[in-house]
Amino acid sequence: MKKRILVIDDDADMCVLLDRFLTKNGYDVDTAHSGAKGIEKFKEQKSDAVLCDYRLGDKKDGKDILLEIKALAPQTIVLIITGYSDIKTAVDVIKLGAYDYITKPLIPDEVLNVLSKALNQETAGAEPGDNLKREQTQTSAKTKEQKASNNNEFLVGTSGATKELYKQIDIVAPTNFSIILYGESGTGKEVIAKTIHEKSSRSNKPFIAMDCGTLSKELAGSELFGHMKGSFTGALTDKEGHFELANGGTLFLDEVANLSAEIQASLLRVIQERKFKRVGGTKEMDVDVRIIVASNENLQDAYRKGKFREDLYHRFNEFSINLPPLRQRKNDIPLFAEFFLSKTLSELNKNLDGFEDEIMDMFINYSWPGNLREFRNVVRRSVLLTDEGKISVNTLPWEITNAIIGESHQSKSSASSTTTPVKDAKVDLKDTASKAEYEAIMSVLKEVNFNKTKAAELLKIDRKTLYNKIKNYEEPE
């Protein structure tokens, strides 16, 4: 008999996501968009487990729901869904009888693993809240953190660009279409490829990724198709290639435009015939893989320039997705900031109070040419440089502070250049003094690597006055 799961979350999209995912994995699922409605549904029909968001839109929160459900049916497993900033609260809720907490952004596989363990333990007679459960709660959190440290999978934002991206993913994932992912460096193409794999019918088979941009022609053939012992110098043993390793699952080829013409021809044959030979081998092997490729370069332009095979392009281009750069996902920046912050705090075993408002404003206003990869590195650096309290602008690398203030000043200069001709213009002493002051402040900031405290001391003004002046330069007139 199927286990029954009740999902309580005021986010309708989250309810739909969990409903589809858990139903696909063999559970009967019911959803409620408020705490009151969730309790009402639970009273109508008891569930084996309840997944409840801690912060709900009505008067009830996760703790209230937990206590009511435990009063109605003490044996029911309750999992609390919480944001990273609520982890301490979630741990407190565990002491009240919750089995575990699951942090946002949700990783579906993690939800499934925790839920399966909970239900299996319950069947085996484990009591909620015992020491074994607490140890597994800690292990679950560590596992979650380890997964998250490798990629940002299933971090679904709220911006329009992100919603459109995941709408396309949800459409194409259940199919066997080959897919081309386009996007700037650092936008998370491998993460999206793995997300597509996890949402497909191949999710229980391997996901294998290969970076085609770092391999020579000889190595690319060996990595893709494997080789036989003695087939070339250094081939000391037989080796399986990526196609063999990914059989039944998904093969992700990053920077595919860098492959040589010879390897492109071999790839075309494998896709057409679903057979291949190892380098130096004579035996043909059958293979069934879904192929997802990624490129910074437009492959259509590449084949028109003769750099990529047109027939191979059309084989790959059954569906294409453009990954938006971070600068087009500004609404998601606070979410990613908290996500990277939590991971780094755990990694460095620190306890900080989040970000100052000013630094979050700078995150949102910066253009992030390195996208998510750059953003992650900046947050890690800031956490490392902060000993206590909130993370401040002082911890940002100079290129970000300089870029934001410089762009603001350049914008002001451009605006002032559109005034009347010089012969008709009047000298504005206030504006002239302001520009001189700006240049003096910027010069000192660069000398001290944008340490605001040291800069304020050298300028003989207090730190707050310096912040206010910098903020004035950033504000449009």
Side-chain angles (χ1 to χ4, degrees), residues 74-244:
Q75 77 282 5
T76 303
I77 291 166
V78 180
L79 302 174
I80 298 295
I81 301 170
T82 176
Y84 277 114
S85 59
D86 293 326
I87 287 179
K88 290 182 180 177
T89 304
V91 172
D92 290 338
V93 172
I94 290 176
K95 295 177 182 177
L96 297 176
Y99 175 83
D100 203 348
Y101 65 86
I102 305 174
T103 51
K104 293 180 180 179
L106 295 184
I107 302 173
D109 274 353
E110 190 65 34
V111 175
L112 191 62
N113 288 341
V114 175
L115 189 59
S116 297
K117 284 182 181 179
L119 291 170
N120 289 338
Q121 273 199 19
E122 187 255 350
T123 302
E127 291 295 327
D130 62 16
N131 291 332
L132 176 61
K133 180 178 294 183
R134 293 182 188 281
E135 290 175 10
Q136 289 184 330
T137 296
Q138 294 169 0
T139 302
S140 171
K142 290 178 181 177
T143 302
K144 185 187 343 290
E145 189 60 41
Q146 185 178 5
K147 284 187 176 182
S149 68
N150 294 329
N151 51 54
N152 310 316
E153 56 193 357
F154 292 96
L155 182 57
V156 182
T158 59
S159 67
T162 302
K163 288 180 179 178
E164 179 60 31
L165 169 64
Y166 276 85
K167 180 180 178 182
Q168 293 184 58
I169 290 172
D170 287 339
I171 290 171
V172 74
T175 73
N176 278 316
F177 283 18
S178 296
I179 303 168
I180 301 177
L181 301 178
Y182 291 113
E184 297 176 6
S185 178
T187 49
K189 293 184 283 292
E190 183 174 341
V191 171
I192 295 302
K194 191 168 185 182
T195 301
I196 292 170
H197 172 75
E198 295 292 346
K199 289 173 173 280
S200 75
S201 59
R202 297 174 180 264
S203 60
N204 60 338
K205 298 294 184 179
F207 172 86
I208 304 295
M210 174 177 168
D211 183 358
C212 304
T214 60
L215 299 175
S216 65
K217 179 177 70 175
E218 293 77 15
L219 282 178
S222 172
E223 290 296 316
L224 280 169
F225 310 117
H227 63 249
M228 303 301 293
K229 179 180 178 181
S231 57
F232 56 85
T233 303
L236 303 179
T237 60
D238 292 349
K239 176 186 175 180
E240 292 181 321
H242 284 55
F243 270 97
E244 282 181 80

Side-chain angles (χ1 to χ4, degrees), residues 84-85 333-343 345 353-355 360 375 379:
Y84 277 114
S85 59
I333 286 176
L335 176 66
F336 279 110
E338 295 296 334
F339 181 58
F340 295 142
L341 172 62
S342 178
K343 291 195 299 175
L345 289 176
D353 297 329
F355 299 98
M360 192 62 75
F375 193 11
V379 172

Side-chain angles (χ1 to χ4, degrees), residues 387-417:
D387 293 326
E388 60 183 1
K390 290 189 175 184
I391 298 172
S392 71
V393 176
N394 290 339
T395 63
L396 291 180
W398 68 267
E399 58 267 24
I400 294 181
T401 311
N402 194 30
I404 292 174
I405 297 177
E407 287 170 7
S408 174
H409 183 63
Q410 184 178 12
S411 176
K412 287 188 172 187
S413 298
S414 299
S416 64
S417 67

Side-chain angles (χ1 to χ4, degrees), residues 218-431:
E218 293 77 15
L219 282 178
S222 172
E223 290 296 316
L224 280 169
F225 310 117
H227 63 249
M228 303 301 293
K229 179 180 178 181
S231 57
F232 56 85
T233 303
L236 303 179
T237 60
D238 292 349
K239 176 186 175 180
E240 292 181 321
H242 284 55
F243 270 97
E244 282 181 80
L245 296 171
N247 195 24
T250 302
L251 178 60
F252 172 62
L253 303 177
D254 197 7
E255 300 302 336
V256 71
N258 291 321
L259 291 174
S260 68
E262 182 181 337
I263 296 299
Q264 288 181 35
S266 299
L267 261 180
L268 180 65
R269 180 178 178 273
V270 175
I271 295 171
Q272 288 174 334
E273 301 180 12
R274 297 193 175 277
K275 296 178 183 291
F276 71 97
K277 295 178 183 177
R278 289 181 179 176
V279 175
T282 57
K283 179 183 176 182
E284 282 199 329
M285 300 183 180
D286 294 326
V287 68
D288 171 28
V289 298
R290 180 187 198 170
I291 296 180
I292 302 176
V293 303
S295 177
N296 290 331
E297 183 179 359
N298 187 303
L299 294 182
Q300 190 174 42
D301 291 341
Y303 86 67
R304 287 171 177 167
K305 295 175 183 176
K307 296 168 60 179
F308 199 79
R309 292 184 64 112
E310 182 178 359
D311 45 7
L312 184 58
Y313 163 75
H314 289 300
R315 286 286 183 177
F316 287 153
N317 194 39
E318 292 184 311
F319 197 87
S320 65
I321 298 176
N322 286 290
L323 277 63
L326 189 55
R327 62 182 174 273
Q328 294 178 9
R329 305 169 61 182
K330 291 187 179 295
N331 288 348
D332 296 335
I333 286 176
L335 176 66
F336 279 110
E338 295 296 334
F339 181 58
F340 295 142
L341 172 62
S342 178
K343 291 195 299 175
T344 310
L345 289 176
S346 177
E347 176 188 346
L348 300 180
N349 195 26
K350 283 192 169 187
N351 185 18
L352 303 178
D353 297 329
F355 299 98
E356 290 184 353
D357 292 341
E358 185 179 8
I359 195 173
M360 192 62 75
D361 290 340
M362 296 186 82
F363 284 163
I364 292 171
N365 291 324
Y366 183 55
S367 60
W368 297 109
N371 292 292
L372 289 171
R373 188 179 296 119
E374 180 187 10
F375 193 11
R376 174 180 175 271
N377 291 341
V378 167
V379 172
R380 285 165 59 81
R381 178 186 190 275
S382 293
V383 172
L384 183 63
L385 294 175
T386 304
D387 293 326
E388 60 183 1
K390 290 189 175 184
I391 298 172
S392 71
V393 176
N394 290 339
T395 63
L396 291 180
W398 68 267
E399 58 267 24
I400 294 181
T401 311
N402 194 30
I404 292 174
I405 297 177
E407 287 170 7
S408 174
H409 183 63
Q410 184 178 12
S411 176
K412 287 188 172 187
S413 298
S414 299
S416 64
S417 67
T418 61
T419 57
T420 56
V422 175
K423 64 178 181 178
D424 298 324
K426 296 179 181 179
V427 177
D428 188 335
L429 290 177
K430 184 178 179 181
D431 185 55

